[in-house]
Amino acid sequence: KKIADIINNFGIKSSIASRQGGDEFVLFLYGYDSEEELMKAIETLQYIQSNSKATLEKGLTVPLRFSLGYAIAKEDYEIEKFDKCSVEFSQTNKKTALTWISYFPYIETFANLMPIVLLVVGGLFIMNGQLTMGEYVAFSSLIWAVQNPMRMLGNIMNEFQRFSAASEKVMEIYYSEPKIVDKPEALDLPRRFRGKVEFKNVSFQYEDGNMPVLHNISFVANPGETIAIMGETGCGKTSLIQLIPRFYEPTEGEVLVDDINVNDMKLTQLRKNIGLATQDVLLYSDTIDGNIAYGDSSLTKEEVEKFAKYSAAAKFITKMPEGYDTIVGERGVGLSGGQKQRISLARALAVKPAILILDDTTSAVDMETEKQIQHSLNELDFPCTKIIIAQRISTTKFADKILIIQDGRISESGTHEELVAKKGYYHSLVQLQTGEEV
Ligand code: DGT
Ligand code: MG
């Protein structure tokens, strides 16, 4: 509120300040007619940012900190999109109404004619003595009794059609069977795995895809080793690691964990041994504590804090208004990308997995924090094989083995030194990122 006031005092048009984590805010600017006006407003905001202080509830003054989000020239696109949906909706409704109108008059006219026909014909029969008054009254009241249910039936048929269209969708989801399930003869392995991961000539294609995304992948990660996977975007890194917890099954070849084909294991036992921090971080609408200890109510507060420290998240969490009890919203709204990644890393570690898989988990954190994370990953107090997808040489440099994936194939593999000596893709990456001739 205070910050919004300060900003409005500077005549910034229609800005809303929304709370974001500790004392950071995001501002959305809108209602600017030209880019120049907007740029002027941004300049003013930058001035405010460097020269103003906000008073917090406790009476402290802190420099204003906020980030800006603005979109220029996207309004037309959004309006067009909205228009298209609205037009489609109204057209469908019109069509329904027209169909209804073209039948409704006939049905109603026919229905309303019936009592007149009844009266005329019945009257004639009574006059001719073919029908007594009593019989006529009984007959006509029976007709009335039948008429209403008949009408209702029409409405019900209408509702039924709508219901069956909707229920078909619900049923489809309700009765869908997961394709990947335990085999009846799946092995029972209720122990902690050693953490060996092996790919044997693995090829893979998505069911709805038209091309294989992985070709003939073979490598071994021995217990305790760190394997780094690098490669251009879309080369198949995420697809590759998803085969380990058996989210998908290879189309050819085998994925082995502790020398056993993952297809022969019980899914719960396999996945219990794997800690996975996905590329697209999903936080639950829960406290930070609940997000880290997700699904494990036996995890103590101290342990949660320990894992937060490992993932270099402890510092920013304790700075938040309610510390570990801060609720983070739907998909982690209110946290920055790097903060979300660190919570997701803490969650993956909290399983104390035998196999830790990190999919680009430190891409949004700064170099210094990344260094801390790397240090603590080397000091974990449980044995763990690490498979790390990363873009930065600083992350992959100390791995026992680096795999370079190009178009779904392993094009280079070896240690940092070996790959640099090879003068291939990795070598050029090193040059690009360090700016040095190596
Ligand atoms: P990244 O995360 O941008 O660095 O890229 P990668 O290396 O993780 O790429 P990945 O494994 O997500 O995608 C490899 C290829 O597979 C790419 O051409 C997109 C395609 N692909 C990914 N997910 C799916 C999916 O669910 N269905 C289909 N049909 N194709 C997918
Ligand atoms: Mg990926």
Side-chain angles (χ1 to χ4, degrees):
K1 181 80 175 68
K2 284 259 163 54
I3 291 187
D5 285 346
I6 295 171
I7 288 161
N8 287 336
N9 282 344
F10 275 85
I12 299 293
K13 216 164 42 172
S14 346
S15 62
I16 32 165
S18 69
R19 188 137 208 192
Q20 202 218 10
D23 45 10
E24 253 186 85
F25 292 78
V26 181
L27 298 180
F28 293 96
L29 305 183
Y30 55 88
Y32 287 86
D33 296 331
S34 69
E35 206 168 316
E36 278 141 61
E37 256 186 70
L38 179 71
M39 285 307 162
K40 240 191 225 157
I42 291 171
E43 267 171 35
T44 318
L45 279 170
Q46 278 161 351
Y47 172 79
I48 302 175
Q49 170 131 280
S50 48
N51 291 293
S52 306
K53 290 181 161 62
T55 311
L56 297 183
E57 291 117 34
K58 295 172 202 131
L60 287 170
T61 50
V62 293
L64 281 189
R65 284 169 58 199
F66 48 75
S67 19
L68 285 172
Y70 54 93
I72 313 171
K74 282 281 176 193
E75 296 93 331
D76 289 346
Y77 170 71
E78 289 297 331
I79 291 171
E80 203 177 295
K81 231 167 63 178
F82 180 76
D83 272 355
K84 212 174 139 203
C85 284
S86 307
V87 168
E88 256 168 45
F89 182 68
S90 89
Q91 273 172 354
T92 314
N93 267 339
K94 262 190 226 160
K95 220 164 124 187
T96 321
L98 280 174
T99 313
W100 175 240
I101 279 177
S102 53
Y103 290 105
F104 178 74
Y106 303 114
I107 296 170
E108 275 303 293
T109 315
F110 184 68
N112 286 313
L113 269 179
M114 289 318 276
I116 300 172
V117 173
L118 188 69
L119 204 64
V120 173
V121 177
L124 284 175
F125 275 18
I126 291 172
M127 282 185 341
N128 290 340
Q130 283 163 303
L131 206 65
T132 66
M133 196 63 171
E135 280 170 339
Y136 171 77
V137 172
F139 181 70
S140 81
S141 61
L142 274 178
I143 289 291
W144 283 107
V146 170
Q147 193 190 25
N148 259 340
M150 291 290 277
R151 271 205 188 147
M152 290 286 284
L153 208 64
N155 279 340
I156 288 172
M157 290 294 276
N158 204 353
E159 287 296 310
F160 187 75
Q161 290 258 311
R162 281 156 62 138
F163 160 78
S164 60
S167 67
E168 218 167 87
K169 288 209 170 82
V170 175
M171 295 296 179
E172 202 180 291
I173 293 168
Y174 188 78
Y175 287 109
S176 63
E177 295 273 345
K179 289 222 177 73
I180 295 186
V181 287
D182 284 349
K183 282 187 186 172
E185 70 278 14
L187 297 168
D188 189 34
L189 308 158
R191 54 180 160 85
R192 183 187 166 82
F193 290 179
R194 283 179 295 122
K196 183 175 170 190
V197 178
E198 183 172 2
F199 275 58
K200 267 192 194 165
N201 307 318
V202 170
S203 296
F204 173 66
Q205 173 170 354
Y206 286 100
E207 239 170 47
D208 56 346
N210 45 15
M211 274 209 314
V213 290
L214 295 173
H215 307 265
N216 209 17
I217 302 278
S218 299
F219 71 91
V220 183
N222 286 313
E225 275 187 348
T226 301
I227 306 289
I229 302 177
M230 300 181 89
E232 287 163 10
T233 169
C235 68
K237 304 179 293 291
T238 302
S239 309
L240 187 153
I241 54 118
Q242 282 180 337
L243 300 177
I244 305 171
R246 209 176 146 209
F247 292 156
Y248 297 96
E249 285 175 356
T251 20
E252 268 170 61
E254 291 183 317
V255 177
L256 312 171
V257 168
D258 281 10
D259 299 316
I260 302 168
N261 192 326
V262 289
N263 293 358
D264 298 330
M265 295 180 172
K266 287 192 174 162
L267 275 178
T268 45
Q269 287 170 351
L270 168 68
R271 291 180 185 170
K272 222 186 215 164
N273 279 280
I274 297 175
L276 171 64
T278 51
Q279 194 166 18
D280 181 19
V281 178
L282 180 91
L283 295 185
Y284 307 97
S285 291
D286 194 358
T287 58
I288 292 184
D289 181 89
N291 263 290
I292 294 178
Y294 180 69
D296 184 359
S297 50
S298 66
L299 211 66
T300 63
K301 202 133 200 147
E302 288 72 44
E303 276 179 302
V304 169
E305 283 170 23
K306 183 180 79 183
F307 291 118
K309 211 171 270 168
Y310 277 158
S311 64
K315 221 162 142 191
F316 85 81
I317 296 173
T318 41
K319 262 205 242 160
M320 298 190 73
E322 287 165 74
Y324 285 83
D325 295 324
T326 312
I327 305 260
V328 284
E330 196 72 43
R331 288 184 79 92
V333 174
L335 293 179
S336 75
Q339 289 172 332
K340 280 195 267 186
Q341 284 187 335
R342 280 176 277 166
I343 291 184
S344 136
L345 173 61
R347 183 196 293 153
L349 288 173
V351 194
K352 293 190 192 149
I355 301 162
L356 177 70
I357 303 173
L358 306 182
D359 192 350
D360 236 348
T361 306
T362 50
S363 60
V365 305
D366 58 279
M367 294 283 209
E368 190 54 39
T369 313
E370 190 192 2
K371 223 177 191 174
Q372 278 175 37
I373 294 175
Q374 231 164 41
H375 179 75
S376 36
L377 283 182
N378 288 331
E379 310 277 304
L380 294 179
D381 57 3
F382 52 89
C384 172
T385 309
K386 295 162 206 123
I387 298 183
I388 300 176
I389 296 178
Q391 305 294 341
R392 292 191 195 142
I393 301 289
S394 53
T395 314
T396 58
K397 199 170 174 179
F398 301 103
D400 296 295
K401 197 185 288 164
I402 302 167
L403 307 177
I404 304 290
I405 312 274
Q406 277 177 310
D407 293 328
R409 290 185 173 81
I410 298 183
S411 62
E412 294 167 34
S413 83
T415 61
H416 176 78
E417 286 73 25
E418 286 167 4
L419 290 189
V420 167
K422 236 182 200 170
K423 298 222 179 274
Y425 177 83
Y426 187 79
H427 175 255
S428 57
L429 264 187
V430 175
Q431 277 193 337
L432 197 71
Q433 292 191 18
T434 58
E436 289 164 23
E437 283 291 319
V438 279

